[in-house]
């Protein structure tokens, strides 16, 4: 595995983001862009469209009054941060960028008529568009059995679920068991579940809960991100606290008794059962057509869906092919990066220009391992040919140009501090 020095990684990801950020001089004054979903993808695309061309009217549709960030949310679950710290307002987008924010939920898209129906507190409204950006994040595929997220939360969409898991964690006593599941890849934030296991183990230690443990039931055959750092975290830093079980595909969940059967292990009456189910594209995105994995295939130059040049899907809901056969990772940083490429492509299209082919996207995740130390991971991509196993060109997509991650020995307090700098930069670049 190629590793990078952390400082080098920070400068590389900044450079990659910048490579996508070359606005065209659009003359598309008066054009209407509607954005569905005000998470990292939707907020960023609204922000950049208005920054790059204030003549374009941008309407952002989002059911919630504010966005609660998943990023840093494991620190809220474990009592190190307050909910306020991850609560992101739309006020700056509205006041500073001139984005019209409509509180409502998109019900349906009429791609032929270029309009979308939105449910609001005052009834349904229809919004017409020249371009539509759909960024609804994820929905869950319920596991077999009687899964009730009010009893056995996912806390994989931040907000009330974060509070619920935090409150349940607080009830854990000595010798109690926290059990969590990890779905098969791809899921949002590849290191996120392993980070959660570490943070819960750290919480139990900090609170002096003797004998209390974390059981990680992973549907994947191995740790999906930063294997070196997390293997060390599980076996050394949190030794005796975390039981990691690979190939644990969920067969049945009973939320009432907090019991679970998997292909590798069954647990009855866990004190806390944190079910993170498999993901698919958020429903309004999925209505545009999905691949076998449940995500919306897009052209990585424009994020347009197949056959509809003015409808784009970005963020966790989309599927972007990558050169290593895996999809581009689903992260807030990547959603922000895709938003810039998409905004640029929309402004070029409105201006009668072709999309830029010289594009790059990037992703970063910082993972707290304890309440004082963190790990990090980056992935950077440039657009180009995608090769098959025999070296033949099988299409166009995003090339993984480097993969940097913290060596196990670089899981430290310095990275823990950098995590907040990085997160605040991303929050600003998406919502301010
Ligand atoms: C514990 C955890 C830690 C993480 N850590 C990191 C990290 O370190 N780095 C990183 O980059 N990423 C991290 N992530 C991943 C990151 O949070 C997601 O990848 C990111 O939120 C995806 O952005 P998005 O805009 O696609 O979706 P979201 O942020 O989920 O936003 C989607 C929005 O669409 C809205 N919506 C849904 N349906 C509709 C509809 N019909 N009409 C209108 N609006 C709708 C939703 O209300 C929501 O606000 C983490 C995730 C978790 C769970």
């Amino acid at each position: 595995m190629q590793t990078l020095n952390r400082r080098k990684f920070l400068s590389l990801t900044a450079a990659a983001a910048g490579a996508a950020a070359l606005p065209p001089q659009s003359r598309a004054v008066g054009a209407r862009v509607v954005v569905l979903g005000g998470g990292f993808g939707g907020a960023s695309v609204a922000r950049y469209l208005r920054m790059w061309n204030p003549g374009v009217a941008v309407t952002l549709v989002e059911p919630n009054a504010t966005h609660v960030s998943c990023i840093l949310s494991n620190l809220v679950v474990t009592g190190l941060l307050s909910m306020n710290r991850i609560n992101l307002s739309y006020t700056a987008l509205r006041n500073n960028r001139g984005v019209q924010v409509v509180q409502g939920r998109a019900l349906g898209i009429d791609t032929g008529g270029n309009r979308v129906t939105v449910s609001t507190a005052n009834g349904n409204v229809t919004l017409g568009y020249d371009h539509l950006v759909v960024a609804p994040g994820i929905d869950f595929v319920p596991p077999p059995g009687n899964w009730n997220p009010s009893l056995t939360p996912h806390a994989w969409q931040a907000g009330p679920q974060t509070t619920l898991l935090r409150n349940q964690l607080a009830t854990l006593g000595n010798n109690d068991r926290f059990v969590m599941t990890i779905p098969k890849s791809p899921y949002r934030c590849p290191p996120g579940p392993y980070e959660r296991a570490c943070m819960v183990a750290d919480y139990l230690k900090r609170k002096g809960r003797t004998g209390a443990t974390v059981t990680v039931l992973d549907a994947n055959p191995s740790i999906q991100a930063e294997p070196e750092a997390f293997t060390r975290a599980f076996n050394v830093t949190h030794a005796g606290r975390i039981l990691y079980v690979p190939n644990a595909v969920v067969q049945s969940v009973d939320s009432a008794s907090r019991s679970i059967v998997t292909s590798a292990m069954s647990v009855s009456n866990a004190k806390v059962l944190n079910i993170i189910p498999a993901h698919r594209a958020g429903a309004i995105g999925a209505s545009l057509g999905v691949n076998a994995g449940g995500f919306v295939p897009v052209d990585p130059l424009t994020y347009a869906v197949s056959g509809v040049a003015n409808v784009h899907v970005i963020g966790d809901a989309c599927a972007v092919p990558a050169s290593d056969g895996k999809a581009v990772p689903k992260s807030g940083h990547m959603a922000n990066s895709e938003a810039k490429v998409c905004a640029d492509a929309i402004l070029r299209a409105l201006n009668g220009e072709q999309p830029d082919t010289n594009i790059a996207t990037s992703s970063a995740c910082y993972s707290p391992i304890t309440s004082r130390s963190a790990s990090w991971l980056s992935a950077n991509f440039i657009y180009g040919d995608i090769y098959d196993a025999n070296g033949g060109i099988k299409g166009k997509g995003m090339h993984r140009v480097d993969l940097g991650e913290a060596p196990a020995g670089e899981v430290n307090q310095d990275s823990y501090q950098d995590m907040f700098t990085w997160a605040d930069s991303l929050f600003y670049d998406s919502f301010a």
Side-chain angles (χ1 to χ4, degrees), residues 127-283:
L127 302 174
Y129 61 79
D130 297 301
H131 280 261
L132 178 71
V133 185
V134 185
I138 55 161
D139 280 351
F140 297 111
V141 181
N146 307 311
W147 180 52
N148 179 348
S150 303
L151 299 175
T152 53
H154 51 79
W156 218 241
Q157 286 162 329
Q161 281 275 307
T162 312
T163 307
L164 180 61
L165 188 62
R166 184 191 65 191
N167 292 346
Q168 290 192 353
L169 182 59
T171 68
L172 238 82
N174 294 342
N175 302 312
D176 279 340
R177 201 167 177 186
F178 181 100
V179 177
M180 62 179 289
T181 66
I182 303 177
K184 280 204 168 127
S185 290
Y187 56 82
R188 70 168 26 162
C189 192
Y194 310 101
E195 162 192 317
R196 177 168 290 169
C198 289
M199 291 313 290
V200 171
D202 181 74
Y203 171 91
L204 297 175
K205 186 176 177 189
R206 281 190 285 122
K207 298 292 175 185
R209 305 284 197 270
T210 52
T213 58
V214 179
T215 300
V216 182
L217 300 172
D218 190 347
N220 299 288
S222 59
I223 293 173
Q224 295 298 290
E226 301 174 75
E228 189 192 0
F230 284 114
T231 300
R232 184 181 161 91
F234 289 0
N235 296 338
V236 179
T237 315
H238 300 298
R241 285 267 185 207
I242 296 179
L243 172 65
Y244 175 70
V245 185
N247 295 310
V249 178
V250 177
Q251 294 175 334
S252 171
V253 171
D254 180 32
S255 290
S257 65
R258 296 180 306 282
S259 301
I260 183 166
V261 178
T262 77
S263 51
M265 178 185 274
S266 300
V267 179
S268 298
N269 308 119
K271 183 70 178 179
V272 176
L273 181 56
N274 173 204
I275 298 287
I276 305 173
H279 303 2
R280 62 186 173 210

Side-chain angles (χ1 to χ4, degrees), residues 306-324:
S306 179
V308 196
N310 67 338
V311 175
H312 315 255
V313 178
I314 59 172
D316 286 359
C318 76
V320 180
S323 51
D324 58 3

Side-chain angles (χ1 to χ4, degrees), residues 37 39-41 62-64 70-71 106 135 137 156 188-189 316 331-333 364 422:
F40 285 95
E62 163 62 46
N64 300 305
C70 283
I71 296 170
W156 218 241
R188 70 168 26 162
C189 192
D316 286 359
S331 76
H333 192 129
W422 162 81

